């Protein structure tokens, strides 16, 4: 662990502090170049944009930029570290946007006193960018922030901790249930955790066919049920009319366990209480709700996923968020709606069923991958993801009426 700590610090500090920089995309070598780049030549695109605001996409980089914005109130699993401590994570997000989808990204860390102040700050700068990726903002404020910004902004606003997690979870979950011979419409689901990721995951699973009344959500006080009087508006959506009160109660006969909570909260005994052929997504990072080796030792008929790269079936947001924005930007979608999210789910889950090319095996550091218990979702290094997911999202944006442009000719072929 000490070695990893030092390696991480060295990685972020040298040879240059941070992980991102700005590069020029046009010539700036001669006096003539500079007269075009700045005064007097720059006045011409300014005039064009003043006459037709949409020309900002023609003459500036707006259409290929995403702002990654946080207030640092929920940094990874570390808690409320503040805006500056969130900056390495936001720079990391910018790195992923560029590496996987060739999107230019700028990290912005906001200091504020109220939700309204944060929303006003972001809304007032939003038009500088093609999209906004919200990150590491604690619940329940994150829900109000995202909703307000979607209403006020004319560009896509996407809280990745909610929807990115939900999309990858849903894709993997539906594939896992297929393999286990189970129907999502009939599955009894236990969700340990009731924050932003948990609520978004369950809402998207419902859109994919899960039944709300078959979902048992737990927070730090136990089952979220209808007789509790301490629930916020978001938890109330999952208040189950049940006599069950504890994880032990809920896990009996459960088909699915989704953990977005904390380490070591699911025991081997509880795993044994689940239904035949269960599915466990233990996504707490870096330490899951139960270690895969312990869960698999308890029973051999389960499918196991975590958020970690050193186990099979990693639930990783990088499988979707760069490509969702790629597709949204390329057809100039004004929002990222449910149709686009569901399209991403089905594109990701379908790719896992395709034969895996040799270059993907090599990039993933393995010699064989085929759809099954240890491969229910694609690997992050699968270069096919960009084309498959971006195209599905772009088509869904067009079909649902939120795109300003048609699909470019031969898009992603």
């Amino acid at each position: 662990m000490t070695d990893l700590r030092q390696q991480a610090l060295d990685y972020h500090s040298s040879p240059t502090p941070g992980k991102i920089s700005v590069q020029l995309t046009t010539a700036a070598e001669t006096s003539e170049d500079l007269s075009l780049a700045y005064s007097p030549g720059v006045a011409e695109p300014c005039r064009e944009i003043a006459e037709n605001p949409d020309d900002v996409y023609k003459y500036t980089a707006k259409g290929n930029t995403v702002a990654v914005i946080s207030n640092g109130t929920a940094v990874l699993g570390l808690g409320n570290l503040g805006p500056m401590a969130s900056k390495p994570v936001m720079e990391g997000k910018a790195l992923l946007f560029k590496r996987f989808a060739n999107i230019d990204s700028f990290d912005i860390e906001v200091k504020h006193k109220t939700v309204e102040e944060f929303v006003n700050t972001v809304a007032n700068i939003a038009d500088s960018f093609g999209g906004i990726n919200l990150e590491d903002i604690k619940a329940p404020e994150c829900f109000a922030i995202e909703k307000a910004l979607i209403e006020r902004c004319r560009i896509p606003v996407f809280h990745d901790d909610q929807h990115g997690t939900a999309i990858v979870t849903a894709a993997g979950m539906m594939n896992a249930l297929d393999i286990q011979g189970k129907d999502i419409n009939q599955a009894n689901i236990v969700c340990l955790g009731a924050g932003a990721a948990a609520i978004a995951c369950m809402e998207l699973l419902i859109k994919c066919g899960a039944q709300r009344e078959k979902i048992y959500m737990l927070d730090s006080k136990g089952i979220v049920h209808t007789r509790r009087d301490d629930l916020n508006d978001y938890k109330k959506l999952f208040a189950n009319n049940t006599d069950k009160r504890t994880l032990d109660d809920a896990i009996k006969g459960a088909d699915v366990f989704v953990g977005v909570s904390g380490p070591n909260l699911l025991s081997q005994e509880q795993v044994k209480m689940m239904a035949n052929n269960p599915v466990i997504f233990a996504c707490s990072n870096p330490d899951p709700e139960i270690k895969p080796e312990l869960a698999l030792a308890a029973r051999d008929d389960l499918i196991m996923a975590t958020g970690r790269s050193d186990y099979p079936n990693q639930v990783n947001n990088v499988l979707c968020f760069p490509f969702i924005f790629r597709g949204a930007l390329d057809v100039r979608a004004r929002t990222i709606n449910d149709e686009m999210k569901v399209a991403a789910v089905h594109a990701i889950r379908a790719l896992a069923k395709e034969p895996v090319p040799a270059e993907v095996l090599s990039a993933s550091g393995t010699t064989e991958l085929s759809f099954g218990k240890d491969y229910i979702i694609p690997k992050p290094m699968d270069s096919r993801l960009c084309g498959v997911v971006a195209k599905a999202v772009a088509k869904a944006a067009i079909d649902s009426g939120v795109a300003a442009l048609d699909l470019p000719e031969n898009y992603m072929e």
Side-chain angles (χ1 to χ4, degrees), residues 28 120 148 156 163 266 388 405 408 410:
N120 285 337
H163 310 300
L266 183 69
V388 168
L405 304 176
N410 301 319

Side-chain angles (χ1 to χ4, degrees), residues 188-204:
N188 289 306
I189 299 171
V190 174
C191 179
L192 186 58
I199 288 170
C201 283
M202 294 304 107
E203 288 289 1
L204 190 57

